Amino acid sequence: DTEVTQTPKHLVMGMTNKKSLKCEQHMGHRAMYWYKQKAKKPPELMFVYSYEKLSINESVPSRFSPECPNSSLLNLHLHALQPEDSALYLCASSQDWEQGPYEQYFGPGTRLTVT
Amino acid sequence: QKEVEQNSGPLSVPEGAIASLNCTYSDRGSQSFFWYRQYSGKSPELIMFIYSNGDKEDGRFTAQLNKASQYVSLLIRDSQPSDSATYLCAVLFSGTYKYIFGTGTRLKVLA
């Protein structure tokens, strides 16, 4: 089973709102990722968690705050977003991070619209 | 500058033909290569990965890797209209643990 789930599927939020995106995997993977994808562009890496610890932050603005409560769950907390943050937010997981090579499996994504 | 290049397309092929998608990369030390398919509005779906020079086949898909020439390709045999999608090449560059994605090639299979 190579399933990564994400909720919600769609999210519309105002610039003053606080919301969270959730991601879950039950494949026993130890690495989880957040990507952002704008229309007709490839996914851009935002964060990497390895063994529940933040390994990579690709200079993402602090209005995006990741959290990894346990090895199966990954959250992305959103606060004071801008309209240009509207995008498809993708969660992915892989068996490991540094002990590669590895394949990443993506969830269905959350379509975020900031008004 | 680590780069992955793909022709954006669209690449149009008739149903039943072979579609050939190409990807070049800048880092000669790269070790791992991945092909993803992405339908419009959906998330990327892993099709194949290849680590060694040569060909790797999985059903209608064949990945080809030539490290000396720094390219990786994906062949889709007996193309179907349902194969119409954007195909993303991802490369794991040496010395990092991050995917670098190409911009993707849009494939259209004409019925």
Side-chain angles (χ1 to χ4, degrees):
Chain A
D1 184 11
T2 55
E3 190 177 74
V4 179
T5 60
Q6 289 187 246
T7 55
K9 284 187 170 58
H10 301 275
L11 178 63
V12 179
M13 61 185 290
M15 289 189 284
T16 58
N17 292 158
K18 287 185 182 181
K19 296 286 185 185
S20 297
L21 309 185
K22 296 185 185 304
C23 174
E24 189 167 6
Q25 58 87 13
H26 292 290
M27 296 177 279
H29 287 176
R30 303 317 300 251
M32 296 185 76
Y33 312 79
W34 281 115
Y35 286 86
K36 173 182 176 180
Q37 187 177 26
K38 302 282 270 184
K40 299 191 188 304
K41 298 289 187 183
E44 297 175 30
L45 183 65
M46 299 174 72
F47 302 104
V48 180
Y49 273 84
S50 176
Y51 290 83
E52 302 165 42
K53 289 190 170 21
L54 183 64
S55 295
I56 297 280
N57 176 342
E58 290 286 271
S59 302
V60 178
S62 60
R63 57 185 184 269
F64 296 91
S65 175
E67 178 195 22
C68 189
N70 61 56
S71 60
S72 300
L73 288 173
L74 187 65
N75 298 322
L76 186 63
H77 303 298
L78 313 173
H79 173 55
L81 294 192
Q82 303 297 310
E84 58 265 29
D85 296 321
S86 298
L88 180 66
Y89 286 83
L90 296 162
C91 175
S93 72
S94 65
Q95 185 172 349
D96 209 315
W97 165 241
E98 295 182 359
Q99 303 300 319
Y102 54 86
E103 311 86 61
Q104 293 185 23
Y105 297 92
F106 285 86
T110 293
R111 177 73 58 189
L112 174 67
T113 303
V114 182
T115 60
Chain B
Q1 182 78 7
K2 300 185 192 301
E3 292 183 340
V4 178
E5 302 277 349
Q6 292 183 259
N7 189 319
S8 61
L11 172 66
S12 296
V13 300
E15 184 175 358
I18 296 175
S20 178
L21 305 163
N22 298 314
C23 172
T24 59
Y25 57 94
S26 61
D27 182 1
R28 187 172 293 276
S30 299
Q31 297 294 322
S32 309
F33 308 87
F34 308 85
W35 282 102
Y36 287 85
R37 176 175 63 195
Q38 187 170 27
Y39 294 110
S40 181
K42 302 294 186 182
S43 65
E45 174 192 6
L46 181 66
I47 299 175
M48 292 194 70
F49 52 89
I50 186 166
Y51 307 138
S52 304
N53 270 332
D55 295 1
K56 179 182 178 182
E57 188 175 317
D58 184 0
R60 295 187 297 114
F61 299 97
T62 298
Q64 298 176 317
L65 176 59
N66 185 323
K67 289 187 179 181
S69 299
Q70 294 175 235
Y71 80 79
V72 56
S73 60
L74 180 70
L75 301 179
I76 307 174
R77 288 182 299 282
D78 188 25
S79 295
Q80 300 297 309
S82 58
D83 294 325
S84 298
T86 295
Y87 289 79
L88 295 163
C89 171
V91 177
L92 188 62
F93 281 85
S94 59
T96 80
Y97 304 104
K98 299 187 291 187
Y99 278 12
I100 303 295
F101 281 92
T103 52
T105 297
R106 190 157 63 94
L107 173 66
K108 296 175 73 171
V109 180
L110 307 172

